[in-house]
Amino acid sequence: MKNCLIILLVLFLSVSCKKEVVKQPAKLIEKEKMIDIMYDLSLLEAMRYQHQELIDSTETNPTKFILKKYKVDSLQFAQNNMYYAADYENYKDMFDEVGKRLAKVQRATDSIVKIEDKKAAKAAKKKKKEVLKDSIKKAEPVIKSIDSIKKAKRKQLRK
């Protein structure tokens, strides 16, 4: 009797786990498009975090712009987001893909910033050399006059 009860319990649990928690929305956004939307929204959040004054100063809602870009309304996005979130592993894979894209863009941005920093440092060094050369050129007449004064004093002392 106990074996039968255990078998029924295991069978019941296995069948109940297969049932979808959230039903598929009528307008399902394909997975790749959903990843693109999530990527753009992640970039938007990063921009909002870094430069909040720029985002707040605009009249438009950037999130609405992104949803309009993909021809998706906010309700459709919310329903699809809940649908994909119901499958944890699949949703995690989607966010991993978004993370990979963000990391790739971060590496590219970092390399561009390094190049720009090197150019700026090189330009500053060149400017410093030019300023030094100009200072030396301006100091040359003063040095010559000091040298001539010293020579004149030496001549006077010799006499």
Side-chain angles (χ1 to χ4, degrees):
M1 181 71 174
K2 283 185 180 181
N3 288 340
C4 185
L5 185 59
I6 291 172
I7 291 172
L8 283 175
L9 182 62
V10 169
L11 183 62
F12 175 72
L13 287 174
S14 65
V15 171
S16 66
C17 291
K18 299 278 183 191
K19 187 176 180 181
E20 288 185 14
V21 177
V22 177
K23 292 185 181 181
Q24 182 175 339
K27 294 181 180 179
L28 181 66
I29 300 171
E30 58 270 0
K31 186 177 177 181
E32 289 303 314
K33 188 175 183 180
M34 190 69 176
I35 291 172
D36 292 340
I37 294 170
M38 290 165 46
Y39 170 76
D40 284 351
L41 289 173
S42 297
L43 283 178
L44 176 67
E45 285 302 313
M47 288 177 4
R48 184 175 289 148
Y49 177 74
Q50 292 294 322
H51 300 288
Q52 189 171 8
E53 67 280 354
L54 294 176
I55 302 262
D56 289 343
S57 67
T58 60
E59 297 286 326
T60 60
N61 182 349
T63 305
K64 285 183 181 178
F65 172 76
I66 290 174
L67 294 177
K68 188 176 181 180
K69 174 183 172 183
Y70 291 101
K71 298 176 182 153
V72 173
D73 61 24
S74 58
L75 178 62
Q76 182 184 2
F77 174 74
Q79 289 172 342
N80 277 272
N81 196 37
M82 283 191 334
Y83 173 73
Y84 283 115
D87 182 7
Y88 173 76
E89 290 297 322
N90 192 22
Y91 202 59
K92 183 183 177 302
D93 291 342
M94 291 169 70
F95 269 102
D96 289 343
E97 177 65 30
V98 170
K100 286 177 188 175
R101 287 186 188 182
L102 290 172
K104 183 178 178 182
V105 169
Q106 180 67 38
R107 285 191 301 273
T109 304
D110 287 347
S111 65
I112 290 171
V113 168
K114 280 183 182 179
I115 290 169
E116 292 298 322
D117 287 347
K118 285 180 181 178
K119 284 181 182 178
K122 200 174 195 180
K125 190 175 181 180
K126 185 177 180 181
K127 176 109 174 144
K128 189 175 180 180
K129 283 182 180 179
E130 288 174 5
V131 168
L132 186 62
K133 284 180 183 179
D134 288 344
S135 299
I136 291 171
K137 284 182 182 179
K138 289 178 182 176
E140 282 178 353
V142 174
I143 293 171
K144 286 180 182 178
S145 65
I146 291 172
D147 285 343
S148 63
I149 292 171
K150 284 181 181 178
K151 284 181 184 178
K153 282 186 179 183
R154 284 186 203 146
K155 282 183 183 179
Q156 284 178 353
L157 292 173
R158 288 183 191 165
K159 289 183 183 185

